[in-house]
Every structure is written in structure tokens, then in C-alpha cells.
Amino acid sequence: MSIPAQNVLNELLALVPTITPDSELITDLTEYQQYLTDATGEDGQAIALFFPSNEEDIKTVLSRCCQLEMPIVPRGAGTGLSGGCIPHNNALVLSTERMTRLTVDPDRQIAYCGPGVITKQLQDEVTKHRLAYPPDPASYEESTLGGNVAENAGGLRCVRFGVTRDYIIGLKAVTINGLSFSTGIYNNNESFNLGDLIIGSEGTLAVITEIAVRLIPAVTTGTLMMITFDLAQKAAQTVTDITRAGIVPSVLEYLDGDAAACSNEYEQSDMLEDSAAILIIETDSAKSDRQTKVENICRKNGAVAIHSESDQHQADSIWKVRRNISKAVSAMTNLRISEDVAVPNSKLPELVAYVDRLNTTSPLRINCFGHAGDGNLHINFLAVHGTKEEEKAMDIQIPEILNKALALGGTLSGEHGIGSAKRKYIDKEFDQPTLHLMTKIKDIFDPEKRLNPNKIFP
């Protein structure tokens, strides 16, 4: 039997004297509507919002919410594109954005981070010690470490340096019933590595309270190249050929012509030229044999122009084109759905050709971009006019693109996660025995399914 909402609020307010002054519980959400949505634009509903400043307060609130049979939705910065932090059913939104403690141990090459630390803040801080934290999602100026861990975020440099999981060496977390546990270096790397379960679990197993990440020596920035093509398939084939040649650039990004145009409309860049596709490639030294090989492969595949830039200021203009795209595409329309499928690198030309054909017949505006080096393509379906025909096309064509990716040996999500947006499709990728094991793990951590409910599983 559910407890009336007002009674739940009264019980939550009774907790206020028991939590530290730096933590805050808010029950009037009038000025906090942004905490009920994410980058998908979907609106949620919650009964309260909690900003903890420490783990003990999280344990106190989670334990009481568990007794009240109240759903809890953990939240980072809300930059996700899967609906993963959108609350429903009188949930409590638990935002870890104020847990921003950051300590760097340069001798051990480790950083200890609160889940609210912004990715770029961590990168900037470790740079002072001539160290680097390579994972860099496009939203690195906004996204938090806690959110990155929950989604196992990738980034522009993941093709060479790996994704978030590759740098997590320890976690502290709290279960739905208020019990804390630690993994990795926090328990001397003994016993089962529970951290691998938490990373990428999208806030459905535990609330992350501290993260230990490994650092590497500062990475030398090489030449950044922007290469234009008159056919999208030529650009995609170039990506495949670079990989086949055994070359692993620091960055290998793909943008189709329409995605680049969206970015240029959002913030004008003199460096962009009209083209069917663009590759952004960074090598690891100013003028290396690797760069020469990349340029030769681009020319062999019919590159229209190759623009190389070693000056950091000018290179920033190229980076801005790529990092602006998601915001730029969102600004083009009120209704946008972004799918982040990934396929084997060798299948990227076929996927790009499929998207190109779809765009010529669809009433929607469709464009794509992504981390081409690992086959991750973000495909945007834009309802520019907001018509019923466009909505119907989305219902038909989004499952088609997901099915195509799976048919090519790919996955439903390269980095955004399943969340609420893709959970109805998850049985297309995973067989029933695998899903059964996943749900059993969920049952162990959260038997009543109240931690970030209605995410991942149908």
C-alpha cells in the first residue's frame, strides 16, 4: 500500500535536523524544474530534491526512503541522452553535484574525486602536475565524474586511450537501503571487483559517493587535421582504411555535412567548408610518419581538402565545431531523438550509407556524427516542423536504425546508455538468459526495484 505524498513529504522534512547544514532537502521544486529532465528534453516528475554534501547524509536519506517505499533517482549534471536520470512516480531526485572534493596524489598518479567533480575540472587540475585524465566526453565542461561512471562515458579520445571504465581503480557507493561499500583500491583490491558492476549500471545498483581514477603522464598534443569529402561513404571508408593500416590516432571523429552545418549555424566558424562529410583526426606528434600515412589514406579515398593545424588556438576552433554539435542540433528543433549505435569499424561505411539513404526518403531531418574510430555513430532524428507525419516517421525509422546496427554486429548504445529511451529494445540485443542474469544482479542490490526504476529493463 502506497503512502500518501503529503505524509512522505512530512517524513522527509523530519530528516532535515539529522543531516549536515551543507546538505539540502528541497520540497518546493518550482525553481528546480531543470532537475526533472536531461538532454533528451523529456519531462519527469518528483516529490523532492536532495543535494547531499557527504556520504553519511546519503545513507540517512536512502535508508529512510527505503522504509517509505520511495523511488530514488540519482543524478549527475543531467547531460545524458537516454532519459537515465528522469524521475517519475513521486521519486526523490538525489543530485550529487555538490560533492566536489578533489585530491590529486601526483606521486601515485591517482585522483580522488567526489561524484560532482566536473570532467574538465579534473583534467585541468591534473595538468598542473603534468598528468592527464584522458576520457573526455563532448560535454566535458558540464558532465560530472559520477555521471560518467554511471554511463561508462566515452569521448573524443577513447579510440586511443579508452573509456571511463579503463581509468576507474576504486569506488565508494551506497545501496538503496543505506549500506555503504567500497571497491578496488579502497579495499586493497581484495575480493570481487564490484566496481565493474557499478560502472555503466546507470544508477540502478547504487549511489556513487567517491571515485578513484588512475592518471597517466601528460599526453603530447599533435597536429589536428580537418579533412573534407564530397561523399559521406568516402569519409567512412577512410576511417576503416586507417584502422586496417594499424594506425590508432588520438582522435578520429566523423561528421556528416548536415551535422557540420548545424554546428556552423550555432556558432559561425570560418574553417568549415560545404561538404558531404568531415573527419577530425589528431595524431600524437607534430609531424609524424603516422600523420603522413593518414594524409595519404585520405587522398586515396578522394579527400577534397586537408587542413592541418598545430597551433593550439586555431586547433581550438576545430574542436569547437565538434563539441558544439549536440547543442547545435538541439537548437534546430523542439523534437530531437539521438541514437548512439556502434558497429564494428569495418561496418561503418555500410551504416553511414544506410543513414544517407534514409535521409533522402524521410520527412525528418537526419544527420550523424560520432567517435568513428570505434564505430560509434550518433544519429539524430529531427522533427523540424513538428508534424504528425514526422512523429510517425520517428516511430518507424528509429527501430529500423537500431535493427540495422544490430544486423551489422553492433550495439544499441555506444556510450549514452539504455536508460528509459531504449529499454523497450534491449531484448533485441541480449538473449533471455543474459537478461535474466542482469535482473538477478539488480535484485541483489535493489530487490524492490526502487533505485532509478524503469531504466534499462522493460
Side-chain angles (χ1 to χ4, degrees), residues 176-195:
I176 183 69
N177 56 1
L179 297 177
S180 58
F181 66 95
S182 56
T183 76
I185 65 169
Y186 291 116
N187 61 7
N188 299 316
N189 291 305
E190 295 177 355
S191 189
F192 293 116
N193 188 0
L194 295 177

Side-chain angles (χ1 to χ4, degrees), residues 389-452:
E389 182 187 13
E390 288 174 321
E391 291 181 17
K392 184 178 179 180
M394 281 190 174
D395 291 339
I396 295 171
Q397 292 172 349
I398 288 175
E400 287 179 350
I401 204 71
L402 298 177
N403 287 333
K404 181 64 176 179
L406 294 175
L408 293 173
T411 181
L412 295 172
S413 175
E415 61 176 339
H416 292 166
I418 300 300
S420 59
K422 293 184 182 180
R423 69 189 187 109
K424 64 182 177 182
Y425 303 117
I426 195 169
D427 59 358
K428 291 178 177 291
E429 179 168 353
F430 299 102
D431 59 24
Q432 285 306 310
T434 302
L435 288 172
H436 176 71
L437 287 172
M438 289 180 180
T439 56
K440 283 296 185 183
I441 292 170
K442 168 70 171 173
D443 289 342
I444 292 171
F445 281 88
D446 179 20
E448 301 300 325
K449 297 179 174 57
R450 293 200 180 95
L451 187 60
N452 211 9

Side-chain angles (χ1 to χ4, degrees), residues 336-406:
R336 165 216 183 186
I337 295 180
S338 178
E339 299 296 342
D340 71 317
V341 298
V343 297
N345 188 280
S346 61
K347 299 295 184 181
L348 187 64
E350 189 173 343
L351 180 60
V352 165
Y354 183 84
V355 174
D356 205 33
R357 289 195 301 272
L358 197 62
N359 199 20
T360 61
T361 59
S362 175
L364 300 165
R365 182 176 181 177
I366 302 174
N367 58 37
C368 60
F369 59 91
H371 314 311
D374 61 357
N376 188 346
L377 201 63
H378 304 327
I379 304 168
N380 299 286
F381 296 82
L382 310 178
V384 178
H385 305 291
T387 65
K388 294 292 184 183
E389 182 187 13
E390 288 174 321
E391 291 181 17
K392 184 178 179 180
M394 281 190 174
D395 291 339
I396 295 171
Q397 292 172 349
I398 288 175
E400 287 179 350
I401 204 71
L402 298 177
N403 287 333
K404 181 64 176 179
L406 294 175

Side-chain angles (χ1 to χ4, degrees), residues 58-70:
I58 290 178
K59 291 165 64 175
T60 298
V61 170
L62 284 182
S63 178
R64 189 66 184 117
C65 287
C66 188
Q67 295 168 359
L68 295 170
E69 302 180 355
M70 185 179 185

Side-chain angles (χ1 to χ4, degrees), residues 117-123 133 135-137 140 143-145 148:
V117 172
I118 301 295
T119 312
K120 189 176 185 300
Q121 290 175 341
L122 171 60
Q123 292 176 342
Y133 175 72
D136 63 335
Y140 79 135
S143 64
T144 63
L145 267 293
N148 290 351

